[in-house]
Amino acid sequence: MSESCCNTNTSNKASNQFDHKDAIQERYGSAAQEKESCLCTPVGFNPVLLEAIPQEVIERDYGCGDPTKYVQKNDIVLDLGSGSGKNAFICAQIVGKEGKVIGVDQNPDMLSLSRSASKEVTKNIGFNNTEFLEGSIEKLDELDKNLNPLIADKSVDIILSNCVLNLVSPESRNNLLNNIKRVLNDNGRIAISDIVSNKKVPLRLQNDHDLWTGCISGAWYEPEFISDFKELGFKNLKFVERSAEPWKVIEDIEFRTVTLVGNI
């Protein structure tokens, strides 16, 4: 991502505290229609696993790492903020016929893109083990008309996410974390690629819609990214990937890409 392609002017677009949902929906809805280079960092994926995936899905994937490398055969995978579906379709091939991949996303345009691509991927790989659900990743316990949660308790082997957790407002992070633990089985794992900061991001930067929706000012403070999961009871937590150089520097705050893994 080039420094000049995103608006980092913090003097405008401030709004009510952490009220970014409409801005996120608008920006990612547009990004589902046309590629926006500002929303992604260069990440290399296994080219063999990309061959079965439509090009528009690959182009409109906005991530900062490759958490799919930590998925295993026969896993039941939950992809939080599945977007265009690229990570989910890669996982579908890794887990095989006996595995399953569930993508959750709140953006209708992204869901339309991933769901429409599912038929082509199914044809290319020879089986269908992927579904995409509409919902907020911090509300996986939200009940449907039959009083069933979006994602059932202890139903998932591994949760992955690619540059999405930072979009969840701070006041909803406890719900997000508790839901992550709730849906994982007793041996459940996480593989989360995201943005972290070396200093806590001040409120005035968090209130900038451009910085927030650009996966910048919602970044987790790096020490807390591990400690928050540790407090939930996760073990063996470590950054298996961490960019040596900052992805961005804004007002002396360094923002880096990391991939966090661990297990219950």
Side-chain angles (χ1 to χ4, degrees):
M1 176 191 298
S2 68
E3 186 69 28
S4 62
C5 76
C6 291
N7 179 9
T8 56
N9 180 358
T10 61
S11 64
N12 59 13
K13 294 196 176 182
S15 65
N16 295 332
Q17 183 175 2
F18 309 130
D19 179 19
H20 301 298
K21 186 172 285 286
D22 288 344
I24 290 170
Q25 291 284 53
E26 180 180 354
R27 186 164 187 178
Y28 283 84
S30 297
Q33 306 297 325
E34 184 175 348
K35 181 178 179 179
E36 183 183 340
S37 60
C38 291
L39 290 175
C40 59
T41 61
V43 177
F45 287 81
N46 184 336
V48 174
L49 296 176
L50 297 179
E51 291 176 1
I53 304 174
Q55 190 61 35
E56 62 266 25
V57 168
I58 296 171
E59 289 178 351
R60 291 161 197 168
D61 171 69
Y62 304 104
C64 57
D66 180 10
T68 69
K69 293 188 293 188
Y70 306 95
V71 172
Q72 300 171 6
K73 187 175 181 180
N74 297 334
D75 272 343
I76 298 175
V77 180
L78 176 60
D79 182 7
L80 298 180
S82 49
S84 71
K86 186 179 86 171
N87 289 261
F89 292 136
I90 290 172
C91 291
Q93 298 171 74
I94 297 171
V95 303
K97 290 182 180 180
E98 302 304 316
K100 183 177 181 181
V101 182
I102 304 164
V104 174
D105 205 283
Q106 67 179 5
N107 188 278
D109 295 299
M110 284 295 186
L111 285 167
S112 178
L113 176 58
S114 60
R115 287 169 174 170
S116 64
S118 188
K119 283 187 178 181
E120 183 175 343
V121 174
T122 297
K123 180 181 177 182
N124 290 338
I125 68 176
F127 53 87
N128 181 14
N129 61 358
T130 306
E131 67 174 324
F132 297 96
L133 305 178
E134 183 173 2
S136 299
I137 64 173
E138 69 270 28
K139 297 179 181 179
L140 300 177
D141 54 351
E142 195 163 57
L143 302 180
D144 63 20
K145 61 182 180 181
N146 297 316
L147 300 182
N148 295 316
L150 183 66
I151 305 294
D153 294 5
K154 296 184 181 297
S155 62
V156 175
D157 294 315
I158 181 169
I159 287 176
L160 62 90
S161 185
N162 200 342
C163 212
V164 178
L165 266 57
N166 67 81
L167 296 174
V168 175
S169 61
E171 72 269 21
S172 297
R173 283 184 176 174
N174 282 338
N175 289 342
L176 171 68
L177 292 168
N178 288 330
N179 268 292
I180 287 174
K181 184 176 181 181
R182 177 185 65 82
V183 304
L184 282 171
N185 66 31
D186 291 335
N187 299 307
R189 295 127 49 213
I190 57 169
I192 297 171
S193 297
D194 222 296
I195 306 296
V196 296
S197 61
N198 70 330
K199 299 177 183 178
K200 292 190 176 182
V201 181
L203 184 60
R204 58 188 174 77
L205 297 186
Q206 293 182 36
N207 279 348
D208 185 284
H209 280 177
D210 286 324
L211 293 180
W212 188 278
T213 61
C215 298
I216 300 171
S217 63
W220 233 284
Y221 176 46
E222 186 171 341
E224 292 180 353
F225 198 42
I226 287 183
S227 65
D228 285 350
F229 280 93
K230 187 175 182 180
E231 288 178 8
L232 278 177
F234 280 84
K235 300 173 291 186
N236 304 314
L237 291 160
K238 60 180 178 179
F239 291 135
V240 289
E241 296 177 15
R242 180 182 182 275
S243 59
E245 296 299 322
W247 167 59
K248 277 192 173 297
V249 178
I250 297 175
E251 297 189 10
D252 295 325
I253 303 174
E254 297 180 353
F255 297 88
R256 281 183 170 78
T257 62
V258 298
T259 298
L260 175 68
V261 301
N263 61 277
I264 292 290

